[in-house]
Amino acid sequence: MTVVRPDRRNAPADEEPVLEVHGLHMRYGDKEVLRGVDFSVRRGEVVALLGPNGAGKSTTVEILEGFRGRSAGEVRVLGTDPARGDERWRSRLGIVLQSWRDHGKWRVRELLTHFAAFYAPYSTPGHPRPRDVGELLATVGLTDQADQRIASLSGGQRRRLDIALGVVGRPELLFLDEPTTGFDPEARHEFHALVRALADERCTVLLTTHDLREAEKLADRVLILIGGRVIAEGTVEELARRTGAEAEVTWTGGGERRSRRTADPTAFVQRLFAEDGTDVHDLRIRRVGLEEVYLAMVRDAEAGRVEEASRRLAEVAR
Amino acid sequence: MTTTTATAGPSANAVREGVRRGVRELHQMVTNRQDLAGNLIWLFGMLAPLYFLRDNELPHSTMPVAGFILPSVMSMCLAFNGMFSLAQQLVVERQDGTLLRLKALPHGMLGYLIGKMTSVAATVLLACAIVTLTGICMLKGVSPADAGLWATLAWMLPLGLLAVLPAGAVLGSLVESPRNIGLIMIPLFGLASVSGIFYPASRLPEWVQHVAEVFPLYWIGLGARSALLPDGYAAVEIGASWRHWETAGVLGCWAVAGVLLAPAVLRRMARRESGSAMVSRRERALRNPV
């Protein structure tokens, strides 16, 4: 699916980034989870923090949300250090949490109205808070369930309520931590459409995922976090271009299926035909995609070869 | 909007929303058949002995046995609802993510705590009211015309509640999993057995009496007896007196200590909450279903 988004990378340079992270370190005992994370996010961008489990994505997001301390580094979220963020600062954030069974006895509209009320004192003429509950229920498709008890919602409906609760305060910055874990494909598709619709109004979004396709669908820009470091960043197209230098040529020859990786597929195919043009069937040339490179990096990281994983992208990009 | 309302507004708003939250929770409790049944069964269980023993008079006494059970039922209502049910709800709602969700709201923790205090206090007062009314209807020794009864209850119930609520909050923040919530019951029952709830404390060894006198349960029980029993029965108590000043003093100390200590403990508990803490708890819970 192609999503046309305004190119926000040309935002005025003097605008302060919504999110700024420099040299972020996090250590639990002897274990170093984050080893110098650097990135910044401008207003209105949708950025995906992509990485395998254990890469430090959730830790990063929880530090940014102000839910977790950090060992070292400079962090600014909406111009404030999250470790010292006050309630006014918190009112500008939205956090989409994965519900499990909380507030099961509450009715959908009742809970949303209750949560909305906490944001009312922070309303300004330029940025009215909270959102209208009725409109929000319609946006997330829960109008028919508005008076149902939350415990009686289906899994998909509950996740839509999670989003509604996260955005009811009309946040300037929205956090989505592994938003579609455990979703079936249809629910995932629905969720992606919803996030894109909500992210439209000046809202900056930081999401974490281990799924490249999800990052591709939702994000303007992707940060690849492996082994506690951001080892690559750019739009999915940029990353794909950088990794697409190599191609895989497959064909059938001598009754066997053969394949070869090469940096210059044209020259290789010319040679192939020159050698024995009559015995080359079913020829296919395919660029090595970002997905394969990413998966190879994840495999390296999981096998404990973190340095190798970070080198992989640099290598294919050369 | 002036600067004053801009700074005072959000917390006042959160307190108001917290009270609303408590009222809604109460409403959910009385409209949820399972919750209501649980509470009623518990209450009937407590009140049944009163009914069966209402005509069973003790020798050399005008008071039926049930008259002595009444203050015990009331103090257990207050202590268990105030301490145990608050602790239990904190543990459960920390595990199921309620707390984390409120923490993500501006002043959400304030709203949560006010809400919890409101619903627990209302439950306790409701239970105590039912106990008192049952006593008045059923027992000859307890009269609604006794002004002393209402006066004593009017200061003793709120103070007793204030003494046990923060203690319940602290206990709840210390227990990690709902599976371990029963651990709180053990010291509570132990305390009940030496606090003169089931048996006059004055007959226990003196050092046990002193241990019991440190905790609020003994004084809540004493206060309830002073309200519901004729004055002559003070003779059975330690020091042969209702000791109202001491009761107010000890309960007051617990209330003040709790109000000072509980916010810090709760803040510490809330600080540890995060999405990943939730996920790991959920995974643990799903691996070992109850």
Side-chain angles (χ1 to χ4, degrees), chain A residues 240-247 262-265 287-288 315-318:
Chain A
R241 218 177 299 132
R242 275 160 63 187
T243 57
E246 216 170 63
T262 169
D264 189 352
R287 291 274 173 198
V288 175
E315 262 168 35
V316 286
R318 224 182 284 136

Side-chain angles (χ1 to χ4, degrees), chain A residues 58 62 66-68 87-88 90-91 93 95 97-103 105-107 110-111 113-115 117-123 149 158 162 165, chain B residues 1 6 9-10 13-14 17 21 24-25 28 31-32 35 95-98 100-108 111 271 273-276 278 282 285-286:
Chain A
S58 292
E62 284 172 9
F67 285 174
R68 200 175 272 279
E87 303 295 327
R88 175 168 294 277
R90 179 148 307 284
S91 75
L93 303 184
I95 299 174
L97 294 162
Q98 287 205 30
S99 69
W100 174 17
R101 54 187 183 201
D102 64 293
H103 292 99
K105 288 173 201 156
W106 288 66
R107 293 175 198 282
E110 184 185 37
L111 185 64
T113 308
H114 173 56
F115 273 38
F118 282 87
Y119 292 96
Y122 302 98
S123 186
R149 280 184 197 278
R158 248 198 118 126
D162 288 341
L165 291 170
Chain B
M1 205 199 294
N13 178 66
E17 211 40 49
R21 184 180 173 84
R24 278 194 200 109
E25 281 182 348
Q28 285 158 7
T31 51
N32 179 305
D35 280 4
Q95 165 136 26
D96 73 14
T98 306
L100 180 60
R101 237 189 239 290
L102 268 297
K103 199 184 152 189
L105 291 176
H107 283 302
R271 217 174 17 242
E273 288 310 301
S274 66
S276 52
M278 269 295 307
R282 171 169 44 193
L286 292 177

